[in-house]
Amino acid sequence: MNKPIAGTGARLLLGLGLAVLVLIWCPALVRTQEPVNITLNGVDSSEFPRVVAYVTVSDHTGHAIPNLLPDAFTLSEDRNPVDDVAAEFLENVGEPILLALALDTSGSMAGTALSNAQAAAVQLINDLGPADKVSVLSFNDTVETQVELTADKAAAIAAVQALSAGGDTAFNDAVYEGARLLASRPRGRKALVVLTDGEDTSSVLTIDDAISAAQEASVPVYAVGFGPDIRPRILERLALLTGGHLYRTPSSEQIGESFQAVARLLRYQYVLRFDSSLPADDRPHTLRVDVNVEGIRAHAEIPFTAVGREIALAMVAPAEGSTVGGMVTLTPRIEAPGDVLQVDYLLDGDPLATVTTGDFSYAWDATTVPIGRHTLTVRVTDSATNEGEADLNLTVAEPVEIAFVAPADNLTDLSGEVEVAVEVVSLAGVSHVDFAVDDQVVETLESPPYRFDWDTGSVATGDHQLAATAYDVNGLSDRATLDVWVAFRGTSWGLWAVLGLVLVVGGLMVPLALRRRRRVVRQPTAAGMPSTAVAPPVPRPGDATTERSDQPEGEPVAWLVVEAGPDAGSRWPVVMGETRLGRTRSANDVVIPSSTASRRHASILADVDGFVYYDIEPTNPTLTNDVPIVGSHELLDGDRIQIGDIILRFEKEG
């Protein structure tokens, strides 16, 4: 009967022995059962969606636990997991320390206790960094702020050394006032250190009031208590609920060690960085940080604001107020807090394009919109739902325009070597110009001046058409034509001599000299004129056939006032002779910025007898006083001329 008992006792002794060996050789197993504390010292969301959290991890004695790996931390915002967290363990990094130091100066602190507290406080202040700030408070019957937050260590030390003891202990009020002082500072690693040797005896506020103030200000409270009269449970509750720690010492001689532990805890921090997935709504959210230290877990929460920020947006090209045409590359310059998700382009308020990749540029074909003024709007949205918008005022014009400058369009015939020249205006730049006779290309020029000598002897006598086509670097083009009469084929003097001799012999020289030479020009058709008839030449300023009054050449004899359209309020002069109206600037005296206007749309002929309006393009008819013009119309003072959406009012000078 005794053997089983003896065996049981032996097994118990063996088990206890093994347990002792485990405790001796595996102290890490014991440590893993000790609690871990985590404190969120602050969150910086001023660069939202980038969020930076400052975290302190300590053991049960209040000493910092260094060198934890990034995977020891798990983060969530509003209970949603956070991915891609970067964690660093650094010393004196990031935001400066904002420390409120509250010292008990009640009567029980008189003598050695106060001296030891002052020496420990001076050492704590000296341990702070250059950018750190400290405030000194004292409390007995009431709480007094000796020094506001300052980086002036000498001033703070002087305030500490000037303290004296006497009165009761307003501990709760001191915690409340220290938390309130730090709550007004939005940035920094905040901490409140409170030293006391006894329980609260004179506060107006309760300990719950003090705890709530510290929690609302996100201020951890590090309580340092010594002597037999402190209330450990109250101090532990205060530290636990605010994310701080209780340092309990048997006497005032150990105050310095406790203060040094607090200083190390504040200096050694983990910096956690991540990009928030929350919208930038300027509203409060909750950040939770969990830590796992050898299987022991702890967590802390802190509020932060998803700060909404503006996107800096400007257009690199085109510039504000510029004139564009053809293919236009829209290039924005964007500085956004988050990743740019998309850029929306709108023209005159209507959607034009949405770009979500690359540098967010867009190739816009401006030939698809009417000539004239337009407003381009650019809107940017980033990953935090921040938005930016910019408007750009542009004028859309013909991308390339060409006009003949030689031969003159009033020549009746050509012969021999004739200079052919054009004037080209291009927004993007000219690639080349093709010259053609009767649709057959005879010359190509790739650089100015765009002119060449044409041998009319290469074509038969009679009507011919010269054409010139200008191409810009984007492949867009414009074409100009000129109808000419080639009088004689060939240019040699021998041919002229033989022909002259024949004419003399035939007695035809005089009739030929008196014969009015045929002239073919592009001109308006008078009302009632048959389409097969040759119209009379259109007079122009300087023509010998144009009748003149006493009005000086080039002086306005009437005006066209823009009543409706992009240039409303502007005035165009009408001179003696011909005033040309149309869409292209190079070929007209009055520019009509309307997509329904023709390049050469109409002419106004002015002479001593009055003013006549000729509609050159019957396919795009003009309205005069709301009535379509058929061929021509005699203009009277006050007549309203409508071409597309442009309305002009005719006013006689004087």
Side-chain angles (χ1 to χ4, degrees):
M1 293 296 295
N2 292 331
K3 288 183 179 180
I5 297 175
T8 300
R11 285 194 295 272
L12 289 174
L13 290 174
L14 179 60
L16 290 173
L18 291 174
V20 170
L21 289 176
V22 168
L23 293 175
I24 294 174
W25 294 104
C26 302
L29 295 179
V30 177
R31 285 200 305 271
T32 58
Q33 302 305 312
E34 297 168 351
V36 171
N37 299 315
I38 180 171
T39 302
L40 284 171
N41 300 312
V43 177
D44 181 7
S45 60
S46 61
E47 299 296 322
F48 192 85
R50 173 52 60 93
V51 179
V52 182
Y54 300 97
V55 179
T56 300
V57 182
S58 59
D59 60 19
H60 72 289
T61 65
H63 291 82
I65 299 177
N67 304 318
L68 294 175
L69 297 177
D71 59 5
F73 297 95
T74 304
L75 278 65
S76 64
E77 48 184 5
D78 292 346
R79 298 187 179 183
N80 296 313
V82 174
D83 298 325
D84 299 325
V85 178
E88 295 180 275
F89 176 72
L90 300 171
E91 180 179 0
N92 287 333
V93 67
E95 298 294 320
I97 295 173
L98 304 180
L99 175 65
L101 178 59
L103 300 178
D104 188 345
T105 57
S106 61
S108 59
M109 290 287 295
T112 303
L114 182 59
S115 298
N116 289 337
Q118 289 171 315
V122 169
Q123 183 61 49
L124 175 60
I125 294 171
N126 282 325
D127 286 342
L128 295 175
D132 299 336
K133 295 182 179 181
V134 63
S135 176
V136 177
L137 299 88
S138 63
F139 62 95
N140 42 38
D141 294 330
T142 59
V143 182
E144 293 188 17
T145 301
Q146 304 294 337
V147 176
E148 294 283 353
L149 277 172
T150 179
D152 186 349
K153 294 182 179 179
I157 290 173
V160 169
Q161 293 175 336
L163 296 176
S164 59
D168 290 328
T169 306
F171 178 83
N172 299 340
D173 292 350
V175 174
Y176 181 92
E177 186 62 25
R180 186 200 62 80
L181 186 149
L182 293 174
S184 62
R185 299 303 179 102
R187 301 183 63 177
R189 294 176 284 168
K190 305 172 186 177
L192 172 59
V193 177
V194 185
L195 169 69
T196 186
D197 71 339
E199 62 178 311
D200 188 292
T201 58
S202 64
S203 286
V204 175
L205 302 172
T206 67
I207 189 62
D208 290 333
D209 295 331
I211 292 173
S212 296
Q215 289 175 332
E216 291 176 3
S218 299
V219 174
V221 179
Y222 299 93
V224 179
F226 70 93
D229 296 329
I230 63 172
R231 301 288 295 273
R233 290 186 178 181
I234 292 178
L235 297 180
E236 286 178 354
R237 180 168 173 262
L238 170 66
L240 176 64
L241 294 180
T242 61
H245 190 78
L246 169 61
Y247 297 87
R248 184 178 180 183
T249 62
S251 67
S252 63
E253 283 76 8
Q254 288 80 35
I255 294 175
E257 296 177 6
S258 298
F259 278 8
Q260 289 177 4
V262 173
R264 285 193 298 270
L265 202 60
L266 295 177
R267 286 199 303 268
Y268 299 148
Q269 293 196 90
Y270 291 91
V271 181
L272 309 179
R273 297 183 175 89
F274 66 94
D275 288 329
S276 174
S277 59
L278 296 173
D281 54 12
D282 286 315
R283 300 176 66 178
H285 300 272
T286 300
L287 174 67
R288 170 171 170 153
V289 179
D290 289 77
V291 65
N292 185 341
V293 181
E294 297 180 353
I296 303 301
R297 300 178 182 273
H299 75 272
E301 294 183 352
I302 190 171
F304 71 99
T305 301
V307 180
R309 300 167 60 201
E310 293 185 359
I311 295 177
L313 172 63
M315 290 300 293
V316 176
E320 165 66 23
S322 60
T323 299
V324 299
M327 297 303 299
V328 183
T329 300
L330 307 177
T331 305
R333 180 174 62 248
I334 305 169
E335 295 180 7
D339 296 330
V340 177
L341 296 182
Q342 69 181 47
V343 175
D344 294 309
Y345 294 96
L346 299 91
L347 188 68
D348 299 328
D350 296 324
L352 181 65
T354 297
V355 183
T356 59
T357 59
D359 62 356
F360 301 97
S361 296
Y362 175 65
W364 171 40
D365 183 3
T367 63
T368 60
V369 302
I371 301 297
R373 297 178 182 176
H374 296 274
T375 299
L376 178 73
T377 302
V378 186
R379 292 176 182 168
V380 180
T381 305
D382 72 1
S383 57
T385 69
N386 293 304
E387 294 184 350
E389 182 174 310
D391 287 336
L392 197 64
N393 295 307
L394 302 172
T395 299
V396 175
E398 293 287 352
V400 57
E401 293 183 273
I402 187 171
F404 276 99
V405 295
D409 60 4
N410 63 347
L411 288 179
T412 55
D413 53 34
L414 303 176
S415 63
E417 293 284 338
V418 177
E419 182 186 51
V420 178
V422 294
E423 181 183 72
V424 183
V425 177
S426 173
L427 296 173
V430 180
S431 170
H432 63 281
V433 177
D434 287 339
F435 293 90
V437 177
D438 299 331
D439 294 329
Q440 296 295 319
V441 176
V442 297
E443 187 75 21
T444 297
L445 300 176
E446 296 182 351
S447 60
Y450 301 106
R451 60 181 67 232
F452 77 103
D453 292 330
W454 173 41
D455 181 8
T456 61
S458 62
V459 298
T461 301
D463 291 330
H464 295 278
Q465 186 184 71
L466 290 176
T469 305
Y471 297 87
D472 72 1
V473 295
N474 296 317
L476 301 175
S477 64
D478 188 31
R479 186 171 185 263
T481 61
L482 186 64
D483 295 327
V484 298
W485 169 265
V486 174
F488 295 98
R489 187 171 183 177
T491 59
S492 66
W493 285 105
L495 179 58
W496 282 104
V498 172
L499 182 56
L501 180 59
V502 172
L503 292 174
V504 170
V505 173
L508 300 177
M509 185 63 75
V510 174
L512 179 61
L514 297 177
R515 177 178 175 266
R516 181 179 180 88
R517 287 181 285 183
R518 184 181 181 188
R519 179 183 184 189
V520 180
V521 296
R522 300 173 64 188
Q523 58 190 1
T525 302
M529 181 180 294
S531 60
T532 57
V534 178
V538 176
R540 295 177 57 84
D543 287 356
T545 59
T546 302
E547 297 186 56
R548 295 283 180 177
S549 67
D550 294 334
Q551 188 76 26
E553 181 177 351
E555 289 292 322
V557 294
W559 296 89
L560 292 176
V561 181
V562 182
E563 285 192 347
D567 299 318
S570 61
R571 293 159 56 90
W572 295 93
V574 177
V575 299
M576 293 299 290
E578 182 187 21
T579 300
R580 300 166 296 179
L581 294 80
R583 181 156 47 91
T584 58
R585 295 180 182 275
S586 60
N588 296 283
D589 305 301
V590 178
V591 179
I592 308 297
S594 173
S595 60
T596 59
S598 301
R599 294 177 181 273
R600 276 280 280 118
H601 196 91
S603 288
I604 297 176
L605 300 185
D607 57 23
V608 294
D609 295 326
F611 304 86
V612 179
Y613 183 96
Y614 290 93
D615 199 347
I616 296 175
E617 295 288 347
T619 57
N620 296 323
T622 303
L623 301 180
T624 304
N625 300 327
D626 299 325
V627 178
I629 290 178
V630 180
S632 64
H633 173 80
E634 182 179 358
L635 291 174
L636 301 177
D637 191 39
D639 280 353
R640 297 171 74 253
I641 302 169
Q642 181 172 351
I643 303 174
D645 54 357
I646 308 298
I647 299 177
L648 309 170
R649 186 178 67 254
F650 178 74
E651 294 181 354
K652 289 184 179 181
E653 178 70 10

